[in-house]
Amino acid sequence: MGKRNNPRDFLITWSLLLLGTAFGLTSREVNKTLCIEKERDALLEFKRGLNDDFGRLSTWGGKKECCKWKGIECDKRTGHVIVLDLHSEVTCPGHACFAPILTGKLSPSLLELEYLNFLDLSINGFENSEIPRFIGSLKRLEYLNLSSSDFSGEIPAQFQNLTSLRILDLGNNYLIVKDLVWLSHLSSLEFLRLGGNDFQASN
Ligand SMILES: *[C@@H]1O[C@H](CO)[C@@H](O)[C@H](O)[C@H]1NC(C)=O
Ligand SMILES: *[C@@H]1O[C@H](CO)[C@@H](O)[C@H](O)[C@H]1NC(C)=O
Ligand SMILES: *[C@@H]1O[C@H](CO)[C@@H](O)[C@H](O)[C@H]1NC(C)=O
């Protein structure tokens, strides 16, 4: 009886209660911010544009938390998608080499991923299409890798707006590298690879 009224015990109980509340709040906070619905829809739209013959995007969809989909990473505090890594890998099991490539079209729904800072689509097969201009509007991109992905045509002038870009790899495509004006705007750039494309002198 006397023990129950001990002020020290009371204090401990009270502290534990406070601590518990703090933990509860924290985990709820974390949960609340996982996968933003608008971004989830954008990813599903992006998936619809692609031919995924090897089931690489099989985790994308259903009720699953989009931050846990393969190739996706979200900011732990805000829940925004910050990484989209769909690079593929070449393996040479027998005599022939093979990569489980994605083909199809890149949907501009990616523009909904406003906080995307890492985009890797290397080693895929975009069927000689041009690099979509909208990529140049993903302003927060710091890493962009579109190497070995079967892109052709000129590098979009819109790339000049990728001013956060630190690493850019466009190597091994069928790009025509003519005009490098866009490049002069990329003040944060630390690494650039354009090799394995078609360089043409400009006037
Ligand atoms: C967090 O979300 C998962 C499912 O997404 C759920 O099972 C779990 O109970 C949630 N936790 C909290 C603390 O809300
Ligand atoms: C770009 O992707 C290719 C293929 O996945 C990889 O080998 C290369 O290292 C990457 N480039 C950079 C700069 O990370
Ligand atoms: C770069 O961004 C600005 C502002 O968003 C826009 O007005 C301009 O057209 C863009 N430049 C290119 C080449 O897309």
Side-chain angles (χ1 to χ4, degrees):
M1 199 162 56
K3 206 168 189 198
R4 220 194 306 160
N5 293 331
N6 185 330
R8 196 163 134 258
D9 282 357
F10 176 75
L11 219 105
I12 289 172
T13 311
W14 186 235
S15 314
L16 284 176
L17 208 87
L18 268 177
L19 210 72
T21 311
F23 265 110
L25 278 177
T26 311
S27 62
R28 214 173 312 137
E29 192 70 31
V30 166
N31 239 19
K32 190 188 75 194
T33 56
L34 276 176
C35 194
I36 288 158
E37 198 170 339
K38 191 177 84 161
E39 301 193 354
R40 183 181 186 278
D41 291 346
L43 288 167
L44 288 175
E45 182 63 31
F46 181 71
K47 178 183 176 175
R48 273 192 283 277
L50 298 172
N51 305 314
D52 179 22
D53 294 339
F54 302 94
R56 294 193 26 225
L57 306 180
S58 56
T59 55
W60 289 33
K63 291 247 159 61
K64 266 196 178 165
E65 184 50 70
C66 81
C67 295
K68 294 190 178 132
W69 294 353
K70 196 150 187 280
I72 307 290
E73 237 175 77
C74 297
D75 183 294
K76 284 190 181 61
R77 278 179 308 116
T78 64
H80 287 291
V81 174
I82 51 174
V83 170
L84 178 53
D85 182 358
L86 295 179
H87 82 274
S88 151
E89 272 170 43
V90 181
T91 53
C92 304
H95 294 294
C97 290
F98 161 86
I101 61 170
L102 297 164
T103 62
K105 265 193 78 175
L106 298 177
S107 164
S109 67
L110 277 195
L111 290 174
E112 297 287 346
L113 309 178
E114 276 179 69
Y115 292 87
L116 195 67
N117 68 44
F118 184 107
L119 178 60
D120 188 347
L121 299 173
S122 62
I123 317 192
N124 283 298
F126 297 107
E127 299 157 330
N128 272 306
S129 61
E130 297 192 354
I131 295 176
R133 291 175 189 184
F134 75 78
I135 302 267
S137 300
L138 294 167
K139 288 203 186 78
R140 286 192 167 84
L141 279 188
E142 293 176 24
Y143 179 99
L144 176 60
N145 195 340
L146 302 177
S147 68
S148 309
S149 275
D150 225 355
F151 284 112
S152 68
E154 288 186 46
I155 296 163
Q158 283 73 12
F159 268 38
Q160 71 176 53
N161 274 347
L162 293 175
T163 47
S164 305
L165 213 54
R166 291 192 296 110
I167 295 170
L168 175 62
D169 192 341
L170 300 175
N172 299 327
N173 282 295
Y174 305 99
L175 297 167
I176 301 162
V177 185
K178 232 194 235 173
D179 165 3
L180 291 177
V181 175
W182 57 274
L183 191 56
S184 60
H185 295 261
L186 305 187
S187 49
S188 309
L189 206 62
E190 292 162 10
F191 178 93
L192 171 69
R193 194 159 74 99
L194 295 174
N197 287 295
D198 182 9
F199 287 82
Q200 298 180 4
S202 65
N203 339 334

